[in-house]
């Protein structure tokens, strides 16, 4: 309607409420139209294609409905299923042994403290977010003794969880970095290419997962990164790769680091599972720290969605490790220009909870214990599922279930088998065969094992 | 180099040497990055905080203060927070946010009994306050009306320009503020509306225009709406101050209701930052009126597609506060009372400031101080006069002469009036 100006707006909606005012305007309009060379079509009657109330044509008439998000759409389908044995292994949100979401005790305590503190206000945070939160987050991922932090070479800004941190970092790179190509592993979290694409980067892939071994295609990875143009950005999952659960060993990480530095590639870490993968915060940060320690530059997106169970609060941070304090300061000022026209400043609640916990010694301790418990429950689910498949004599090698790490298992099941499991066993998971181990319990493992067994033996 | 590294960074000289050597080995990626200019609005508060003067006054950023100059957490908000603490879970909201919160929010803008709501013709998603709602709409506009531009009033909130620029939507301006009368330049505004190509997109402030406080009258809104109809223009309303302008949310939504009566399919950004004092929680809503339910479903799904790669789903806490308050008749009553209280205090301060200036014998007219509406007063002072206010009187405001009335109290209004008089009395 706006473009060519050839469609006549439908004015029949003038026949609504305040009639005399509307009539007056209608008459004025008719006079105006008859006197003007506005456009060819003169009809004031409801156009046959307009809505039920004779509404004028929408400028967004041409829109089609977007497809459901493949991951979040799984939960939508699950919710619709009336079966009592249904199992949701789709979205990566932790569940207890009883299948319930979990708010960590230490988070409850922190939140109560905040509510009871009547001196707290809800003012705008600075554009870069809560200062304490930023400092503590940088220390958490880079290590309290990180030279980069001590030398003030790290610029950290609070963002909306991992997604927000990735998007802000990507927008910054698209504006200020000389290379606009980012290499992402194959496969990766479904939202990654969209985040980088919308930020203005062009997306390429590097080999990562080997379906034959259900492990890392290390050679392919080295070859693909080796042939990337100098300076290209490389997305690395810090630990607990999503969706495969396949991580490089420490030795492999060192080789990756050397390759990246030798080609002056720019590492961009996505750290969504620190502490959640092995149960140990330092161990899960080893890959990132390796890079931060070598004097080079890198970006890190951190999320507290899983490891603090703060999913819906959208708490995260983007850190950019720079060569000098002066550069870090200028970088921060430019990050603000990305953030301000996006949402002005980040939400205060979740970051306040995190800061409260991280800065208090006993609360921090309590957190590490609860975190370890979550990680261990998941590791135990892996073992139970593996044992259940073995005891059923399910054909195939299922050792990858206990070798992979983190919230997800890349089962190796194909989309036909997945569809079968959904239809016959009411198991909900993404069609790439990824299951969220966090959604399993001792009680439901047998049902899943039965489903997998059936799928493998009956569906090609 | 290796020697330096092996010996460890034990001393400053060694360390800088090592870093220097490392720097020469490969490019410093960000060397060329210039320091960005300070945000004109948020930079004011930074400067204010750094000032040690006991007389300092902050009438910069638009955050409400009580008569003691203190930030306020509304009673209804505190009560809502008490109720939701110890919440069952902090799970992800859907991409479109809290359905409850959005429903209640649409009622505020469109009217409790709106047919549009009954007929499910409004595509709406929770957004990151007003900024996030505008940005989501700008991205949506870019994607689905890629040849369109946005007409922005002069002046407007500075961040509006940043938002549509970052969304890569070309901008045009339209006349709005009339400096001589410190009121609305209605004739020029209507000319601009008439001269814009048919079907242009316009950004309108629903009430309490920021930064001028100058709003069209009801009759003027009707004429604007009529002309929009004639030209087939798209109206996008930024409503950041509903309830805050007159004290009555229904009254403050009049401009939108006029457009809806005329059958316009509008877009609207709503914010709870000011009227619920939820600033830092980043709670808002973006809505787009569609022809029918089917189209609304399509539009909503596309808005979600834009939110997903930006932040996946919006924050839950602030949304819960809003839906707790608006969903409870007693809490909602309390909220309406508190909003009126805030608006009344500001109206009272406008009167006080004007009276003080007139009592001081100012040669200028300060009528606009009480005619303008909402949180801001466009004083008409020049950047140089503002600089004097800051330097000589430690009064902080944006250099466009915008005074945040929310920062004025019975305690500082005399001081403020005196300072303004001093810097403006020579004309």
């Amino acid at each position: 309607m706006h473009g060519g100006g050839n469609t006549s707006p439908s004015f029949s909606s003038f026949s609504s409420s305040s009639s005399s005012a509307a009539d007056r305007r209608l008459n004025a309009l008719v006079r105006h139209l008859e006197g003007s060379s506005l456009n060819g079509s003169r009809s004031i009657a409801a156009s046959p294609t307009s809505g039920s109330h004779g509404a004028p044509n929408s400028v967004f008439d041409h829109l089609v409905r977007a497809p459901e998000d493949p991951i979040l759409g799984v939960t939508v389908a699950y919710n619709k299923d009336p079966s009592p044995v249904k199992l949701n292994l789709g979205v990566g949100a932790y569940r207890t042994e009883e299948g319930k979401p979990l708010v960590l005790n230490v988070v409850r305590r922190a939140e109560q403290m905040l509510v009871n503190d009547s001196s707290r206000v809800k003012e705008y945070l600075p554009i870069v977010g809560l200062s304490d939160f930023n400092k503590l987050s940088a220390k958490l991922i880079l290590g309290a003794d990180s030279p980069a932090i001590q030398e003030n070479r790290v610029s950290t800004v609070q963002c909306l969880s991992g997604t927000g941190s990735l998007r802000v970092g990507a927008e910054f790179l698209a504006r200020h970095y000389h290379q606009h190509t980012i290499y992402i592993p194959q496969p990766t979290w479904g939202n990654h290419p969209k985040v980088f694409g919308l930020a203005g980067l062009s997306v390429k892939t590097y080999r990562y997962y080997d379906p034959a071994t259900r492990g890392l295609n290390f050679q392919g990875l080295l070859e693909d990164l080796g042939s990337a143009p100098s300076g290209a950005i490389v997305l690395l999952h810090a630990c607990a790769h999503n969706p495969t659960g396949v991580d490089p060993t420490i030795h492999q990480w060192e080789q990756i680091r050397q390759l990246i530095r030798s080609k002056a590639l720019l590492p961009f870490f996505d750290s969504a599972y620190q502490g959640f993968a092995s149960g140990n915060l330092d161990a899960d940060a080893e890959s990132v720290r390796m890079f931060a320690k070598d004097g080079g530059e890198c970006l890190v997106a951190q999320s507290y969605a899983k490891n603090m169970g703060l999913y819906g609060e959208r708490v995260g941070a983007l850190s950019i490790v720079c060569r000098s304090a002066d550069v870090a300061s200028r970088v921060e000022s430019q990050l603000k220009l990305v953030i301000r026209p996006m949402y002005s400043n980040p939400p205060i609640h979740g970051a306040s909870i995190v800061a409260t916990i991280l800065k208090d010694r006993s609360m921090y301790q309590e957190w590490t214990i609860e975190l370890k418990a979550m990680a261990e429950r998941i590791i135990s689910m892996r073992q139970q599922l593996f044992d259940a498949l073995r005891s059923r004599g399910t054909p195939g090698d299922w050792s990858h279930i206990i070798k992979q790490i983190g919230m997800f298992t890349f089962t190796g099941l194909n989309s036909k088998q997945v569809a079968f499991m959904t239809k016959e066993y009411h198991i909900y998971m993404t069609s790439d065969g990824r299951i969220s181990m966090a959604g399993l319990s001792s009680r439901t493992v047998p049902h899943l094992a039965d489903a997998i067994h059936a799928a493998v033996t009956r569906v090609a | 180099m290796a020697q330096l590294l092996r010996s460890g960074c034990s001393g400053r000289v060694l360390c800088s040497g090592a870093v220097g050597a490392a720097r020469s080995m490969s490019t410093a990626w960000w060397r060329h990055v210039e320091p960005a200019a300070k945000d004109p609005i948020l930079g004011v508060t930074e400067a204010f905080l750094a000032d040690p003067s006991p007389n300092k006054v902050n009438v910069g950023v638009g955050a409400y203060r009580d008569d003691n100059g203190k930030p306020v957490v509304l009673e209804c908000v505190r009560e809502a927070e008490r109720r939701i603490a110890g919440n069952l879970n902090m799970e992800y909201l859907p991409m479109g946010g809290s359905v409850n919160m959005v429903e209640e929010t649409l009622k505020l803008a469109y009217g409790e009994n709106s047919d549009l709501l009954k007929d499910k013709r409004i595509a709406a998603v929770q957004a990151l306050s007003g900024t996030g709602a505008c940005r989501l709409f700008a991205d949506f506009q870019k994607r689905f009306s890629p040849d369109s531009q946005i007409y922005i009033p002069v002046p407007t909130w500075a961040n509006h320009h940043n938002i549509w620029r970052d969304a890569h939507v070309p901008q045009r301006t339209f006349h709005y503020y009339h400096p001589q009368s410190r009121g609305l330049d209605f004739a020029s505004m209507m000319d601009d509306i008439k001269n814009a190509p048919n079907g242009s997109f316009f950004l309108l402030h629903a009430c309490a225009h920021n930064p001028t406080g100058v709003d069209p009258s009801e009759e003027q809104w009707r004429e604007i709406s009529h002309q929009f109809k004639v030209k087939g223009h798209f109206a996008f309303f930024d409503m950041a101050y509903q309830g805050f302008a007159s004290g009555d949310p229904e009254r403050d939504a009049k401009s939108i209701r006029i457009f809806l009566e005329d059958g316009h399919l509008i877009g609207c950004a709503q914010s709870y930052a000011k009227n619920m004092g939820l600033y830092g929680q980043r709670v808002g809503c973006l809505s787009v009126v569609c022809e029918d339910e089917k189209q609304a479903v399509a539009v909503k799904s596309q808005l979600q597609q834009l939110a997903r790669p930006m932040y996946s789903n919006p924050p839950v806490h602030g949304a819960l506060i809003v839906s707790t308050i608006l969903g409870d008749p007693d809490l909602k009553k309390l909220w309406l009372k508190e909003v009126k209280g805030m608006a009344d205090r500001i109206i009272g301060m406008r009167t006080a400031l004007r009276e003080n200036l007139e009592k001081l014998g100012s040669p200028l007219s300060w009528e606009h101080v009480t005619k303008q509406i909402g949180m801001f007063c466009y004083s008409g002072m020049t950047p140089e006069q503002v600089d004097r206010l800051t330097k000589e009187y430690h009064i902080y405001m944006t250099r466009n002469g915008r005074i945040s009335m929310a920062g004025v109290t019975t305690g500082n209004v005399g001081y403020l009036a005196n300072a303004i008089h001093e810097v403006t009395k020579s004309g």
Side-chain angles (χ1 to χ4, degrees):
Chain A
M1 172 169 159
H2 69 282
N6 285 325
T7 32
S8 163
S10 160
F11 295 109
S12 61
S13 59
F14 272 89
S15 57
S16 60
S17 44
S18 50
S19 53
S20 60
D23 286 347
R24 183 166 46 88
R25 281 195 295 281
L26 183 57
N27 290 331
L29 181 59
V30 169
R31 280 196 303 277
H32 180 94
L33 274 184
E34 279 170 351
S36 84
S37 54
L38 194 72
N39 47 45
S41 160
R42 213 59 66 76
S43 165
I44 322 180
S47 107
T49 54
S50 70
S52 49
H53 294 256
N57 288 340
S58 166
V59 297
F60 303 120
D61 209 11
H62 56 291
L63 255 70
V64 291
R65 185 174 181 169
E68 284 280 2
D69 181 279
I71 301 171
L72 305 177
V74 169
T75 296
V76 170
Y78 167 85
N79 286 337
K80 289 200 185 120
D81 186 331
S83 162
V85 299
K86 64 180 179 177
L87 196 50
N88 186 356
L89 302 178
V91 77
Y94 183 80
R95 293 285 177 272
T96 62
E97 179 63 22
E98 294 74 37
K100 298 262 181 295
L102 176 68
V103 176
L104 302 187
N105 277 330
V106 72
V107 166
R108 277 197 204 288
R109 269 212 291 141
E111 208 184 31
Q112 204 57 52
M113 280 167 62
L114 294 172
V115 165
N116 292 339
D117 182 356
S118 56
S119 72
R120 281 189 57 79
V121 292
K122 303 206 172 304
E123 297 283 286
Y124 292 122
L125 283 178
I127 299 175
V128 298
L130 194 58
S131 168
D132 277 354
F133 168 84
N134 290 339
K135 291 197 184 73
L136 293 161
S137 294
K139 285 211 182 108
L140 183 65
I141 186 68
L142 298 177
D145 54 357
S146 157
I149 294 179
Q150 285 164 1
E151 291 159 20
N152 291 319
R153 291 193 283 118
V154 183
S155 170
T156 305
V157 294
Q158 178 190 338
C159 295
L160 279 95
S161 210
T163 308
S165 305
L166 290 166
R167 177 62 177 268
V168 169
E171 294 258 348
F172 170 81
L173 292 175
R175 281 172 214 209
H176 299 289
Y177 185 56
H178 64 96
Q179 253 281 13
H180 290 171
T181 305
I182 182 163
Y183 282 75
I184 64 179
Q186 202 169 30
T188 193
W189 181 45
N191 204 20
H192 275 142
K194 294 183 200 156
V195 171
F196 298 126
L198 277 198
L201 298 177
S202 82
V203 177
K204 287 196 159 49
T205 60
Y206 61 92
R207 281 170 286 170
Y208 190 83
Y209 179 69
D210 184 354
T213 60
R214 293 188 176 91
L216 182 65
N217 181 352
F218 193 47
Q219 265 316 112
L221 182 157
L222 291 176
E223 277 170 30
D224 289 348
L225 292 187
S227 58
S230 173
I233 309 158
V234 181
L235 176 73
L236 302 163
H237 294 225
C239 69
H241 180 271
N242 176 2
T244 70
V246 169
D247 285 349
T249 63
I250 275 292
H251 182 66
Q252 287 171 327
W253 269 122
E254 173 55 23
Q255 286 182 262
I256 293 169
R257 186 195 67 78
Q258 284 178 19
L259 174 60
I260 284 179
R261 291 313 192 195
S262 73
K263 297 219 41 155
L265 302 175
L266 180 64
F268 194 159
F269 280 95
D270 185 355
S271 173
Y273 300 98
Q274 188 186 3
F276 214 95
S278 67
N280 182 300
L281 287 159
D282 293 317
D284 289 348
E286 206 42 60
S287 59
V288 177
R289 294 182 187 178
M290 200 182 275
F291 281 78
K293 264 198 290 249
D294 70 8
E297 295 175 317
C298 64
L299 290 84
V300 191
Q302 273 172 284
S303 164
Y304 289 96
K306 287 83 167 171
N307 63 10
M308 277 223 193
L310 290 174
Y311 306 94
E313 303 293 349
R314 319 311 294 129
V315 203
L318 168 71
S319 287
I320 303 189
V321 180
C322 309
R323 286 250 183 234
S324 73
D326 175 63
V327 169
S329 156
R330 283 183 274 138
V331 163
E332 180 178 293
S333 73
Q334 291 291 348
L335 286 170
K336 282 155 107 168
L337 294 193
V338 169
I339 292 169
R340 176 65 159 151
M342 215 185 262
Y343 50 84
S344 281
N345 38 71
I348 189 172
H349 190 70
S352 304
I353 293 175
V354 172
T356 301
I357 293 170
L358 294 184
K359 67 160 70 122
D360 177 306
R361 191 156 252 178
S362 79
M363 290 183 96
Y364 181 90
Q365 272 305 107
E366 197 182 327
W367 174 49
T368 59
I369 293 169
E370 288 192 83
L371 186 49
K372 198 163 197 310
M374 288 196 288
E376 284 180 346
R377 194 183 89 68
I378 287 182
I379 290 167
S380 145
M381 288 303 103
R382 290 181 174 282
Q383 191 63 50
Q384 287 186 33
L385 180 60
F386 173 72
D387 291 341
L389 289 170
R390 257 216 319 208
S391 71
R392 280 160 181 69
T394 309
D397 174 8
W398 297 98
S399 62
H400 56 284
I401 292 177
I402 44 180
K403 284 197 212 135
Q404 289 166 6
I405 188 168
M407 201 180 285
F408 303 110
T409 291
F410 223 39
T411 55
L413 297 162
N414 63 43
S415 55
K416 281 212 285 275
Q417 292 165 326
V418 169
F420 169 84
M421 284 169 60
T422 305
K423 192 155 176 283
E424 303 296 325
Y425 287 82
H426 307 276
I427 309 262
Y428 290 83
M429 53 198 277
T430 46
S431 58
D432 57 4
R434 181 192 88 162
I435 53 177
S436 170
M437 302 308 288
L440 273 180
S441 70
S442 314
R443 199 183 42 86
T444 54
V445 161
H447 180 63
L448 176 62
D450 289 340
I452 293 176
H453 185 89
V456 165
T457 52
R458 286 158 54 182
V459 182
Chain B
M1 176 64 195
Q3 197 64 36
L4 280 169
L5 289 177
R6 264 202 295 280
S7 57
C9 276
S10 52
R12 237 160 211 263
V13 172
L14 272 175
C15 277
S16 56
V19 170
R23 212 183 282 131
S24 68
M25 270 160 47
S26 57
T27 333
W29 300 127
W30 320 123
R31 222 183 344 219
H32 61 289
V33 172
E34 293 294 321
K38 280 207 177 291
D39 184 279
I41 301 169
L42 304 178
V44 169
T45 296
E46 271 184 44
F48 167 82
L49 290 172
D51 186 330
S53 162
N55 298 324
K56 61 182 181 177
V57 175
N58 186 359
V59 284
V61 77
Y64 182 78
R65 295 282 176 275
D66 64 15
D67 200 45
N68 297 312
K70 296 274 179 283
V72 169
V73 177
L74 301 188
E75 260 316 303
C76 61
V77 170
R78 284 215 191 276
E79 175 55 30
E81 278 211 304
R82 277 191 284 267
R83 292 186 199 181
I84 69 184
N87 205 9
L88 279 178
N89 68 65
M90 287 162 166
E91 297 283 283
Y92 293 124
L93 281 177
M95 279 183 286
S98 157
V99 171
N100 257 347
M101 192 279 278
V102 167
E103 266 173 24
E104 292 294 337
T105 303
L106 293 180
K107 284 189 204 158
L108 281 180
Y110 295 89
E112 290 247 356
N113 301 310
S114 161
D115 280 338
L116 294 170
L117 282 170
K118 290 200 190 85
D119 298 338
K120 303 200 169 116
R121 284 177 53 196
I122 307 177
V125 294
Q126 180 184 338
L128 294 163
S129 210
T131 308
C134 286
R135 174 58 178 268
L136 212 53
F137 181 77
D139 281 350
F140 175 76
Q141 178 187 352
K142 181 64 189 174
R143 183 171 270 192
F144 293 103
S145 294
D147 300 328
S148 67
Q149 303 153 344
I150 185 80
Y151 280 79
I152 295 185
V154 177
T156 194
W157 179 49
N159 206 26
H160 279 144
H161 293 291
N162 301 333
I163 290 168
W164 268 270
R165 179 204 63 219
D166 275 16
H168 309 290
V169 174
Q171 301 175 25
R172 291 264 186 289
T173 58
F174 64 93
H175 287 86
Y176 189 83
Y177 180 67
H178 191 239
Q180 290 80 357
S181 65
R182 293 182 176 78
L184 183 66
D185 189 351
F186 188 58
S188 303
M189 178 179 176
M190 291 305 285
D191 277 345
D192 288 344
I193 292 172
K194 286 176 192 151
N195 293 331
N198 294 348
S200 294
F201 283 62
F202 276 77
L203 168 70
L204 302 169
H205 296 225
C207 65
H209 180 273
N210 175 2
T212 69
V214 169
D215 284 348
S217 66
E218 192 176 312
E219 199 38 54
Q220 286 173 327
W221 273 122
R222 290 192 190 282
E223 284 197 52
I224 295 167
S225 170
H226 167 68
Q227 196 55 42
F228 265 57
K229 223 50 220 266
V230 168
K231 297 286 299 182
H233 289 331
F234 182 93
F236 183 74
F237 284 94
D238 185 355
M239 183 156 67
Y241 298 98
Q242 188 183 12
F244 221 97
S246 69
D248 176 3
E250 279 298 294
R251 203 168 133 192
D252 290 347
K254 194 67 190 167
S255 58
I256 290 179
R257 306 293 171 83
I258 287 170
F259 270 67
L260 294 174
E261 272 167 35
D262 285 353
H264 288 288
L265 301 177
I266 65 166
C268 181
Q270 288 168 268
S271 165
Y272 286 102
K274 286 80 165 172
N275 63 11
M276 248 194 221
L278 294 178
Y279 307 94
Q281 305 289 347
R282 319 312 293 130
V283 204
C285 178
L286 167 66
S287 53
V288 177
V289 179
C290 301
E291 290 170 326
D292 53 35
E293 183 179 350
K294 180 157 172 257
Q295 194 188 68
V297 167
V299 168
K300 180 179 166 171
S301 74
Q302 294 293 351
L303 290 174
Q304 289 174 175
Q305 289 286 297
L306 289 162
R308 175 66 157 150
M310 205 187 279
Y311 47 84
S312 279
N313 39 69
V316 63
H317 190 73
L320 261 184
I321 294 175
V322 173
S323 53
T324 301
I325 291 172
L326 297 183
D328 177 319
D330 291 329
L331 279 183
K332 183 170 180 179
K333 250 217 274 359
L334 176 56
W335 172 58
L336 290 170
K337 184 163 158 249
E338 292 188 275
V339 168
K340 186 167 195 318
M342 290 194 286
D344 284 347
R345 193 186 87 69
I346 286 184
I347 291 167
M349 286 301 101
R350 287 183 176 280
T351 305
L353 180 60
R354 177 180 166 184
E355 281 175 0
N356 268 272
L357 284 163
E358 287 168 351
K359 262 203 217 101
L360 287 165
S362 170
L364 307 168
S365 163
W366 296 100
E367 202 190 12
H368 55 287
V369 172
T370 47
K371 266 181 84 180
Q372 290 167 4
I373 189 169
M375 201 180 284
F376 302 112
C377 164
Y378 223 41
S379 61
M381 286 187 286
T382 65
E384 293 70 36
Q385 289 169 330
V386 171
D387 289 342
R388 278 191 65 195
L389 278 182
T390 305
K391 217 157 157 265
E392 297 171 32
Y393 296 90
H394 307 276
I395 294 174
Y396 290 82
M397 53 198 286
T398 46
R399 289 185 89 235
N400 55 7
R402 182 192 87 165
I403 300 174
S404 172
M405 296 307 296
V408 181
T409 67
T410 49
N412 66 25
V413 66
Y415 178 76
L416 178 64
N418 181 62
I420 293 175
H421 176 60
E422 287 299 317
V423 308
T424 58
K425 64 186 179 185
S426 42

